[in-house]
PDB file of all heavy atoms in Angstrom:
ATOM      1  N   TRP A 121       0.117 -40.286-115.307  1.00  0.00           N
ATOM      2  CA  TRP A 121      -0.778 -41.433-115.326  1.00  0.00           C
ATOM      3  C   TRP A 121      -2.075 -41.025-115.867  1.00  0.00           C
ATOM      4  O   TRP A 121      -2.632 -39.999-115.616  1.00  0.00           O
ATOM      5  CB  TRP A 121      -0.979 -41.989-113.901  1.00  0.00           C
ATOM      6  CG  TRP A 121      -1.328 -43.391-113.845  1.00  0.00           C
ATOM      7  CD1 TRP A 121      -0.520 -44.476-113.694  1.00  0.00           C
ATOM      8  CD2 TRP A 121      -2.703 -43.914-113.821  1.00  0.00           C
ATOM      9  NE1 TRP A 121      -1.188 -45.664-113.657  1.00  0.00           N
ATOM     10  CE2 TRP A 121      -2.492 -45.384-113.767  1.00  0.00           C
ATOM     11  CE3 TRP A 121      -4.006 -43.428-114.059  1.00  0.00           C
ATOM     12  CZ2 TRP A 121      -3.695 -46.229-113.823  1.00  0.00           C
ATOM     13  CZ3 TRP A 121      -5.050 -44.297-114.083  1.00  0.00           C
ATOM     14  CH2 TRP A 121      -4.859 -45.699-113.926  1.00  0.00           C
ATOM     15  N   TYR A 125     -10.375 -46.942-114.137  1.00  0.00           N
ATOM     16  CA  TYR A 125     -10.859 -48.024-113.197  1.00  0.00           C
ATOM     17  C   TYR A 125     -12.243 -48.297-113.485  1.00  0.00           C
ATOM     18  O   TYR A 125     -13.071 -47.427-113.697  1.00  0.00           O
ATOM     19  CB  TYR A 125     -10.629 -47.517-111.776  1.00  0.00           C
ATOM     20  CG  TYR A 125      -9.257 -47.577-111.267  1.00  0.00           C
ATOM     21  CD1 TYR A 125      -8.400 -46.520-111.364  1.00  0.00           C
ATOM     22  CD2 TYR A 125      -8.739 -48.764-110.695  1.00  0.00           C
ATOM     23  CE1 TYR A 125      -7.060 -46.578-110.933  1.00  0.00           C
ATOM     24  CE2 TYR A 125      -7.437 -48.836-110.134  1.00  0.00           C
ATOM     25  CZ  TYR A 125      -6.615 -47.758-110.278  1.00  0.00           C
ATOM     26  OH  TYR A 125      -5.308 -47.835-109.878  1.00  0.00           O
ATOM     27  N   ALA A 142      -0.139 -49.778-111.424  1.00  0.00           N
ATOM     28  CA  ALA A 142      -0.981 -49.065-110.377  1.00  0.00           C
ATOM     29  C   ALA A 142      -1.760 -50.055-109.535  1.00  0.00           C
ATOM     30  O   ALA A 142      -1.816 -51.272-109.876  1.00  0.00           O
ATOM     31  CB  ALA A 142      -1.947 -48.094-111.048  1.00  0.00           C
ATOM     32  N   CYS A 143      -2.334 -49.567-108.438  1.00  0.00           N
ATOM     33  CA  CYS A 143      -3.123 -50.396-107.543  1.00  0.00           C
ATOM     34  C   CYS A 143      -4.217 -51.122-108.364  1.00  0.00           C
ATOM     35  O   CYS A 143      -4.891 -50.473-109.229  1.00  0.00           O
ATOM     36  CB  CYS A 143      -3.883 -49.500-106.561  1.00  0.00           C
ATOM     37  SG  CYS A 143      -3.084 -48.023-106.116  1.00  0.00           S
ATOM     38  N   ILE A 146      -9.568 -50.803-105.786  1.00  0.00           N
ATOM     39  CA  ILE A 146      -9.791 -49.754-104.875  1.00  0.00           C
ATOM     40  C   ILE A 146     -11.232 -49.882-104.363  1.00  0.00           C
ATOM     41  O   ILE A 146     -12.224 -49.948-105.166  1.00  0.00           O
ATOM     42  CB  ILE A 146      -9.620 -48.329-105.590  1.00  0.00           C
ATOM     43  CG1 ILE A 146      -8.141 -48.216-106.064  1.00  0.00           C
ATOM     44  CG2 ILE A 146     -10.013 -47.227-104.658  1.00  0.00           C
ATOM     45  CD1 ILE A 146      -7.840 -47.034-106.900  1.00  0.00           C
ATOM     46  N   SER A 150     -12.767 -45.076-101.199  1.00  0.00           N
ATOM     47  CA  SER A 150     -11.436 -45.119-100.824  1.00  0.00           C
ATOM     48  C   SER A 150     -10.629 -44.181-101.746  1.00  0.00           C
ATOM     49  O   SER A 150     -10.903 -44.272-103.029  1.00  0.00           O
ATOM     50  CB  SER A 150     -10.818 -46.423-100.872  1.00  0.00           C
ATOM     51  OG  SER A 150     -10.164 -46.789 -99.769  1.00  0.00           O
ATOM     52  N   GLY A 151      -9.735 -43.358-101.267  1.00  0.00           N
ATOM     53  CA  GLY A 151      -8.925 -42.537-102.146  1.00  0.00           C
ATOM     54  C   GLY A 151      -9.742 -41.551-103.079  1.00  0.00           C
ATOM     55  O   GLY A 151     -10.955 -41.416-102.837  1.00  0.00           O
ATOM     56  N   VAL A 152      -9.023 -40.980-104.030  1.00  0.00           N
ATOM     57  CA  VAL A 152      -9.762 -40.026-104.919  1.00  0.00           C
ATOM     58  C   VAL A 152     -10.695 -40.768-105.868  1.00  0.00           C
ATOM     59  O   VAL A 152     -11.758 -40.363-106.099  1.00  0.00           O
ATOM     60  CB  VAL A 152      -8.637 -39.200-105.682  1.00  0.00           C
ATOM     61  CG1 VAL A 152      -9.388 -38.181-106.521  1.00  0.00           C
ATOM     62  CG2 VAL A 152      -7.618 -38.555-104.753  1.00  0.00           C
ATOM     63  N   CYS A 153     -10.182 -41.942-106.412  1.00  0.00           N
ATOM     64  CA  CYS A 153     -10.995 -42.629-107.362  1.00  0.00           C
ATOM     65  C   CYS A 153     -12.293 -43.241-106.681  1.00  0.00           C
ATOM     66  O   CYS A 153     -13.269 -43.136-107.193  1.00  0.00           O
ATOM     67  CB  CYS A 153     -10.193 -43.847-107.942  1.00  0.00           C
ATOM     68  SG  CYS A 153      -8.824 -43.237-109.043  1.00  0.00           S
ATOM     69  N   GLY A 154     -12.020 -43.848-105.472  1.00  0.00           N
ATOM     70  CA  GLY A 154     -13.217 -44.421-104.803  1.00  0.00           C
ATOM     71  C   GLY A 154     -14.279 -43.380-104.385  1.00  0.00           C
ATOM     72  O   GLY A 154     -15.496 -43.636-104.346  1.00  0.00           O
ATOM     73  N   GLY A 173      -6.851 -40.019 -97.277  1.00  0.00           N
ATOM     74  CA  GLY A 173      -6.986 -41.303 -97.860  1.00  0.00           C
ATOM     75  C   GLY A 173      -6.470 -41.457 -99.290  1.00  0.00           C
ATOM     76  O   GLY A 173      -6.733 -42.516 -99.906  1.00  0.00           O
ATOM     77  N   HIS A 174      -5.804 -40.410 -99.807  1.00  0.00           N
ATOM     78  CA  HIS A 174      -5.249 -40.548-101.170  1.00  0.00           C
ATOM     79  C   HIS A 174      -4.396 -41.750-101.242  1.00  0.00           C
ATOM     80  O   HIS A 174      -3.573 -42.087-100.354  1.00  0.00           O
ATOM     81  CB  HIS A 174      -4.463 -39.328-101.485  1.00  0.00           C
ATOM     82  CG  HIS A 174      -3.583 -39.428-102.680  1.00  0.00           C
ATOM     83  ND1 HIS A 174      -2.252 -39.586-102.680  1.00  0.00           N
ATOM     84  CD2 HIS A 174      -3.901 -39.517-104.010  1.00  0.00           C
ATOM     85  CE1 HIS A 174      -1.786 -39.770-103.885  1.00  0.00           C
ATOM     86  NE2 HIS A 174      -2.692 -39.701-104.728  1.00  0.00           N
ATOM     87  N   ILE A 175      -4.582 -42.524-102.413  1.00  0.00           N
ATOM     88  CA  ILE A 175      -3.819 -43.760-102.607  1.00  0.00           C
ATOM     89  C   ILE A 175      -2.596 -43.436-103.558  1.00  0.00           C
ATOM     90  O   ILE A 175      -2.921 -43.055-104.748  1.00  0.00           O
ATOM     91  CB  ILE A 175      -4.701 -44.858-103.181  1.00  0.00           C
ATOM     92  CG1 ILE A 175      -5.853 -45.170-102.194  1.00  0.00           C
ATOM     93  CG2 ILE A 175      -3.951 -46.106-103.413  1.00  0.00           C
ATOM     94  CD1 ILE A 175      -7.021 -45.897-102.864  1.00  0.00           C
ATOM     95  N   CYS A 177      -0.272 -44.352-105.978  1.00  0.00           N
ATOM     96  CA  CYS A 177       0.230 -45.485-106.860  1.00  0.00           C
ATOM     97  C   CYS A 177       1.540 -45.020-107.496  1.00  0.00           C
ATOM     98  O   CYS A 177       2.384 -45.877-107.739  1.00  0.00           O
ATOM     99  CB  CYS A 177      -0.786 -45.694-107.959  1.00  0.00           C
ATOM    100  SG  CYS A 177      -2.337 -46.424-107.420  1.00  0.00           S
ATOM    101  N   GLU A 184      -4.485 -34.491-109.045  1.00  0.00           N
ATOM    102  CA  GLU A 184      -5.290 -35.600-109.698  1.00  0.00           C
ATOM    103  C   GLU A 184      -6.673 -35.129-110.037  1.00  0.00           C
ATOM    104  O   GLU A 184      -7.269 -34.279-109.372  1.00  0.00           O
ATOM    105  CB  GLU A 184      -5.336 -36.741-108.651  1.00  0.00           C
ATOM    106  CG  GLU A 184      -6.037 -38.008-109.107  1.00  0.00           C
ATOM    107  CD  GLU A 184      -5.681 -39.213-108.317  1.00  0.00           C
ATOM    108  OE1 GLU A 184      -4.942 -39.019-107.281  1.00  0.00           O
ATOM    109  OE2 GLU A 184      -6.105 -40.300-108.709  1.00  0.00           O
ATOM    110  N   ASP A 200      -9.106 -41.476-114.632  1.00  0.00           N
ATOM    111  CA  ASP A 200      -8.164 -40.911-113.672  1.00  0.00           C
ATOM    112  C   ASP A 200      -7.000 -40.259-114.370  1.00  0.00           C
ATOM    113  O   ASP A 200      -6.374 -40.963-115.206  1.00  0.00           O
ATOM    114  CB  ASP A 200      -7.738 -42.075-112.753  1.00  0.00           C
ATOM    115  CG  ASP A 200      -6.817 -41.556-111.593  1.00  0.00           C
ATOM    116  OD1 ASP A 200      -6.692 -40.380-111.377  1.00  0.00           O
ATOM    117  OD2 ASP A 200      -6.152 -42.428-111.012  1.00  0.00           O
ATOM    118  N   ASP A 202      -3.442 -38.249-113.456  1.00  0.00           N
ATOM    119  CA  ASP A 202      -2.464 -37.734-112.480  1.00  0.00           C
ATOM    120  C   ASP A 202      -1.437 -36.917-113.103  1.00  0.00           C
ATOM    121  O   ASP A 202      -0.983 -37.170-114.210  1.00  0.00           O
ATOM    122  CB  ASP A 202      -1.745 -39.019-111.815  1.00  0.00           C
ATOM    123  CG  ASP A 202      -2.511 -39.821-110.819  1.00  0.00           C
ATOM    124  OD1 ASP A 202      -3.775 -39.902-111.156  1.00  0.00           O
ATOM    125  OD2 ASP A 202      -2.070 -40.280-109.853  1.00  0.00           O
TER     126      ASP A 202
HETATM  127  N1  LIG B 506      -4.463 -41.901-106.501  1.00  0.00           N
HETATM  128  C1  LIG B 506      -5.674 -42.729-106.798  1.00  0.00           C
HETATM  129  C2  LIG B 506      -5.250 -44.158-107.073  1.00  0.00           C
HETATM  130  C3  LIG B 506      -5.074 -44.465-108.416  1.00  0.00           C
HETATM  131  S1  LIG B 506      -3.629 -44.014-109.100  1.00  0.00           S
HETATM  132  O1  LIG B 506      -3.396 -42.589-108.949  1.00  0.00           O
HETATM  133  C4  LIG B 506      -3.339 -44.547-110.621  1.00  0.00           C
HETATM  134  C5  LIG B 506      -6.617 -42.579-105.605  1.00  0.00           C
HETATM  135  O2  LIG B 506      -6.256 -41.950-104.598  1.00  0.00           O
HETATM  136  O3  LIG B 506      -7.700 -43.112-105.703  1.00  0.00           O
END
Side-chain angles (χ1 to χ4, degrees):
W121 204 91
Y125 279 90
C143 330
I146 297 175
S150 231
V152 186
C153 291
H174 167 252
I175 301 163
C177 290
E184 184 160 4
D200 182 14
D202 285 35

